[in-house]
Amino acid sequence: MSNPNTDNPPPAAPSDFIRDIVEKHVAEKKYPQIHTRFPPEPNGYLHIGHAKSICLNFGIAHEFDGICNLRMDDTNPAKEDVEYVDSIIEDVNWLIAGWADKNLGLKPKGKTPEAVTSNGKPDFYLPASVGQASSLSPSSKEKVRDRLEACPTLEPFYASDYFDQIYEYAVALIKKGNAYVCDLTPDQTDEYRRNAKESPFRNRTVAENLDLFTRMKNGEFPDGTRTLRAKIDVTAPNIWMRDPLIYRIRHAEHHHTGGKWCIYPMYDFAHCLSDYLEGITHSICTLEFEVHRPLYDWILENLDLPRPLPHQYEFARLSLTYTIMSKRKLMQLVNEKLVTGWDDPRMPTISGIRRRGVTAEALRAFAYNIGITKYNGLTDVAVLEFAIREDLNKRALRRLAVLRPIKVVITNYPEGKTEELDAVNNPEDESAGKRKIPFSRELYIEQDDFKEVPPPKYFRLKPGGEVRLKYAYIIKCDEVVKDATGKILELRCTADLDSKSGGATAARKVKGTIHWVSAAHAVDAEVRLYDRLFTVPEPDKVAAESASAGSSGATGPSGDFKSLLNPHSLEVVTAKCEPSLKDAKPELRYQFERLAYFALDKDSVVGSSRRDDRTAGPAVPTLIFNRTITLKDAWAKEAQKG
RNA sequence: UGCCCGAUGGUGUAACGGUAGCACAGCAGACUCUGAAUCUGUUUGUCAUGGUUCAAAUCCAUGUCGGGCAGCCA
């Protein structure tokens, strides 16, 4: 769980066209219970676009007291892997934890609908129709939950668990004369379909089709030599109704079913039936599947399945500025080591976002804020950044840390003296309490907080100028000490020793307040300063343009989005931190005052296992912070104007 | 090219025949021991043209623009 400090109140449930439909169905009592599903293909890591879908599907289940199944849409063994299955489970659990985890549909490990059959029928996890529901008690919902809770080892649903059923449905379609085995090559199939021409194999007998399909299943034919096609209408204006393929031959090991199958159902055939088998009521997907909906309906209707059938609804996928969402391109970044992995904090993956320090609450608030429509828009990444700052502002512990130090000597402060000053942990949350920070004669301040030649409106430290050291004294810069090259070595300052909190001149107004760290007490930390991964707002668009414009050839045929990577997306510094940061905890969030929000990276070694006993070589920082996001910086904007 | 879908300030969304609202961003100011947060104010919008109607962002028609699909991927 991501529970740093405060539990922010959940945002108000949003309203959108899909929720309107669900609400109407609930009012009509059309279904015994609302049942959605989140069906990723395990061929990559989940990204923030999936987070939108997760929040929609689980949000609906949560708001209407329903269930949302997590289902691996794993019908293509060539592209899928257990690594992705595992990451998907982790990411979904993280995102819904403490929110919709009670609405998560899982199943007993190893069970399939067939495996739990009690009367010869598949045992649906929730009623798939009103007719079947009548045999269930009104508390069917609780039964489902009881069943889930009673089983210690639960797992997500897998489309591949239904391969037996789906196969039987295909046979049923053949027997009805609604499907046939086709021997056309891929190229021929393509050509026939484009030209609305019937396959010469379209009118094979049922017996012949049954025989051929059985032999396909038995592995008698090589990949690509035969397919099973639904017999619909090759002249249909919608391409997907022109006798679509529903099974293809793939002699491949499947990550979940192993070597059991050498034929695999296509998405269109597997998906609607998986929805049906799980008793899904609202099958929500993105816009590109809209043209597939007639096929979705056709399959279920032509199998004469009991009604009401699941229904498909489509919404616009998320696009974000300065971000790419294509799994293929993200994988390219990983494979070519342009980032450190799928969970690199610069990646738009859920795992990357999490590692960066963003909380699940913030991500959910973002998903709620952007809404659900059928319009293909481009959301400003600033909306995400706002959600992150809003969340972190409320929960982050304030700390003093100097990223790029300059030494300051307080010449009128006694050598060897140390004071412990009170500092507030979180001004947004009084219950977070206070801590002590040490003050002494030699300090570090931020390089940015001193200017020998200050620009207009600069109210930090300058020669002869005064500034407040947060929680400590007002100091005045008397002297700038430089080396032969003109590099600043240290600033010599005097403090107004009465200006500390409670002191005689504590109320004196100085325009600037800056952060600092006592040099003798400072703790070093590696700080990874992340920035956006791309330099342009629409990397996909630019890449596409350079690709099409580009017989110039320099950027290559795919449009080289990699040339748009921000070379400054990661900068690593060694920061001087106040000593309390020694005890930083991975589950907490920190604000280094006046700078940014940070979270401990998983590479850190913290607590009692800190490697303080290191003997050889330079000290390797064991404290590693990731910059989640900077504070808003009005001064940067002001300085730019000048 | 065929089929499908969409269009409300800079961006994302709401208004479901009856006052065009919210959020982000921007701008200006107040406050501030974080140039943060908070608070106040504020610029900017119904794709176009017709039609229906007492009344249209909303219904209809046409056009324009944008997106999707045309894998034995999902």
Side-chain angles (χ1 to χ4, degrees), chain A residues 507-558:
Chain A
R508 268 180 63 205
K509 296 291 177 201
V510 281
K511 192 62 181 162
T513 298
I514 64 174
H515 59 278
W516 54 274
V517 170
S518 167
H521 304 87
V523 174
D524 280 357
E526 175 179 328
V527 175
R528 299 173 180 173
L529 303 171
Y530 293 106
D531 201 350
R532 43 182 63 143
L533 232 200
F534 289 94
T535 52
V536 296
E538 298 181 68
D540 278 321
K541 193 179 175 191
V542 175
E545 277 166 5
S546 73
S548 60
S551 29
S552 53
T555 54
S558 68

Side-chain angles (χ1 to χ4, degrees), chain A residues 100-168:
Chain A
D101 32 9
K102 296 285 183 295
N103 305 279
L104 170 63
L106 295 170
K107 67 181 184 65
K109 199 160 189 162
K111 298 280 188 175
T112 69
E114 183 186 53
V116 290
T117 289
S118 53
N119 56 358
K121 288 186 193 167
D123 183 6
F124 304 132
Y125 288 86
L126 278 174
S129 74
V130 172
Q132 287 169 341
S134 62
S135 64
L136 295 165
S137 73
S139 62
S140 62
K141 185 175 62 199
E142 282 70 27
K143 277 186 171 172
V144 169
R145 290 191 184 156
D146 287 350
R147 181 155 28 160
L148 292 174
E149 280 163 20
C151 187
T153 45
L154 298 174
E155 66 176 359
F157 295 85
Y158 290 80
S160 58
D161 279 337
Y162 315 140
F163 282 172
D164 286 305
Q165 284 80 8
I166 292 170
Y167 179 82
E168 288 308 320

Side-chain angles (χ1 to χ4, degrees), chain A residues 418-491:
Chain A
T418 298
E419 286 180 275
E420 296 283 318
L421 304 175
D422 278 326
V424 173
N425 282 328
N426 184 352
E428 304 286 325
D429 176 15
E430 205 175 318
S431 71
K434 292 181 175 182
R435 69 191 187 282
K436 298 285 188 188
I437 47 180
F439 183 90
S440 64
R441 178 181 160 94
E442 296 199 352
L443 314 169
Y444 294 112
I445 67 166
E446 207 70 57
Q447 286 173 19
D448 277 353
D449 288 336
F450 174 79
K451 282 278 184 297
E452 198 166 10
V453 184
K457 295 187 191 171
Y458 185 85
F459 44 82
R460 303 175 187 179
L461 195 60
K462 53 194 169 191
E466 279 192 326
V467 81
R468 158 78 66 183
L469 295 178
K470 177 99 182 176
Y471 298 125
Y473 302 94
I474 294 170
I475 60 167
K476 179 179 181 181
C477 178
D478 304 312
E479 189 188 350
V480 182
V481 181
K482 300 179 186 174
D483 67 11
T485 67
K487 186 181 166 234
I488 297 173
L489 293 177
E490 64 177 43
L491 306 175

